[in-house]
Amino acid sequence: MIYRYFNSQIDEIRKDAALRLYGAFVAFGQVLTFVNWHQGYAAWYLSDQGRPICWPFFENCFQYRFFNDDHMQLILFLFGLVSIIGVFLFLFKKFCGAAYGWLILVNVFKTLIYIQDYRLRLNQHYMLYMATFVFLFLPNKRRLLRYTLVLFYVWASTLKFNMEWISGKALYADPLWVPDSLVPTACIYVILLEAVIVWGVLSARKWVYWSSFLQLSLFHVVSWPVVSFFYPLLMFALLAIFPLTCFIPSPGESKSLLG
C-alpha cells in the first residue's frame, strides 16, 4: 500500500510536464536556502564556537555542536550541492523517481540543519516546506499547489490589518520606486492585493489571470529592498506553478479554479 501510494505520487509528476518542471523550481528553493544561510553566517551560529539559541522543542541543541566554523561551511556547501543536483534531476523525465526521492532527502538534510538554531527561522522556510509537502505527498497537485499559493497571500494579508503596517512604519527600508509620500498608499494596496486581487490567478479570464499574476510579480520586485533577495526569489520560484499550468494545460482540467 505504501509503495502504491508513493508510486502514484511519482506517476502524477512524471506524466505532467508542468509538475516536473515545477519540481525543479521547488528544488531551487533549497538552493536559495543555502545562499541565504551562507550570506547570513549560519555556519557560525551552528558551530561549536557560536552561542546557540535553541528551538523550544529542542532546548538541548547545544549538546550537538560537534563541528567548528570551517566544518559547518563544508556541510552547508554540501547541502547547496545536493540541492543543485535536485534541480537538474527534475529536468529529465527518466529521472523523475530519483528526483522525487532526492527532494525528500534534501528536505531531511535541511531540517537537520534548520532545527539546530532558532535564528534560522523564517516564514520563507515554512512556505517552502508547505509547498514541498503538497508537491510531494498530496494528489491533484496542479490544483492544490495553486490554492496553497493563493492562501499564502490571503493569510499574509490578515497580519497587515493594523496601523503599523498601513502607516508604513513596519517597513525596514524604502520599497523600490515608491516615494515616501506614497508608502502608506502602497501598504494599503498590498493588503488589497493579498486579500482580494490574488484570487484572480484562479480565474479563467486571461486578462484577470495575467493582471493578477503580474501585480504579484511586481509586488515582489518592489519589496526587494525591504525583505532582501530570499523572499522575492523564493516566491518567484513557487509562483512558477501558475505560468507552467497555463502554458502546459492538462486535458479535462477546469479553466477556472474559483468554482
Side-chain angles (χ1 to χ4, degrees):
M1 181 177 293
I2 295 177
Y3 173 80
R4 194 181 322 132
Y5 163 77
F6 281 106
N7 198 45
S8 67
Q9 304 304 313
I10 295 171
D11 277 346
E12 183 178 354
I13 297 171
R14 182 186 292 115
K15 294 175 181 177
D16 191 330
L19 288 178
R20 280 191 285 107
L21 290 174
Y22 189 66
F25 282 102
V26 174
F28 181 67
Q30 304 296 0
V31 178
L32 292 174
T33 297
F34 157 72
V35 176
N36 179 67
W37 283 350
H38 178 65
Q39 290 193 351
Y41 305 105
W44 172 258
Y45 297 151
L46 298 166
S47 72
D48 58 1
Q49 299 162 295
R51 182 171 296 176
I53 298 179
C54 300
W55 289 77
F57 61 82
F58 189 27
E59 295 181 349
N60 61 339
C61 68
F62 56 88
Q63 296 180 0
Y64 301 90
R65 299 299 176 93
F66 307 122
F67 305 106
N68 61 31
D69 182 57
D70 291 336
H71 295 153
M72 284 308 308
Q73 289 280 8
L74 289 175
I75 291 173
L76 290 181
F77 273 109
L78 177 61
F79 170 70
L81 176 62
V82 298
S83 299
I84 292 171
I85 292 173
V87 174
F88 285 100
L89 285 175
F90 271 109
L91 298 179
F92 301 94
K93 186 176 181 178
K94 63 181 179 180
F95 295 140
C96 187
Y100 182 93
W102 192 271
L103 185 57
I104 293 176
L105 292 177
V106 169
N107 274 272
V108 172
F109 191 177
K110 172 185 176 176
T111 302
L112 292 175
I113 298 172
Y114 185 57
I115 63 174
Q116 288 294 321
D117 199 286
Y118 189 63
R119 285 166 291 191
L120 299 183
R121 78 195 186 285
L122 283 174
N123 289 341
Q124 291 92 316
H125 296 303
Y126 302 146
M127 290 188 289
L128 181 55
Y129 272 125
M130 180 61 71
T132 303
F133 177 82
V134 175
F135 175 76
L136 289 175
F137 302 119
L138 298 184
N140 202 5
K141 304 178 192 300
R142 290 174 67 103
R143 179 180 294 263
L144 286 182
L145 283 166
R146 285 176 281 178
Y147 285 152
T148 300
L149 266 294
V150 168
L151 290 177
F152 282 165
Y153 290 100
V154 173
W155 284 115
S157 73
T158 64
L159 302 176
K160 299 180 174 67
F161 288 95
N162 57 76
M163 288 308 301
E164 185 180 12
W165 172 266
I166 293 173
S167 66
K169 293 180 180 179
L171 303 182
Y172 302 118
D174 294 330
L176 197 63
W177 307 317
V178 179
D180 289 342
S181 59
L182 293 180
V183 167
T185 303
C187 289
I188 295 173
Y189 161 75
V190 170
I191 296 175
L192 180 64
L193 174 66
E194 294 185 332
V196 181
I197 297 174
V198 67
W199 294 99
V201 295
L202 303 179
S203 174
R205 296 178 182 271
K206 292 299 183 182
W207 72 270
V208 175
Y209 174 90
W210 283 111
S211 65
S212 302
F213 182 79
L214 291 175
Q215 286 182 77
L216 290 174
S217 301
L218 181 61
F219 161 62
H220 289 300
V221 172
V222 171
S223 68
W224 192 298
V226 181
V227 295
S228 188
F229 77 94
F230 187 27
Y231 178 52
L233 289 182
L234 177 63
M235 291 312 299
F236 284 137
L238 297 182
L239 284 170
I241 189 64
F242 292 103
L244 285 173
T245 52
C246 179
F247 292 122
I248 310 175
S250 175
E253 182 181 49
S254 173
K255 292 183 178 180
S256 173
L257 299 183
L258 290 172

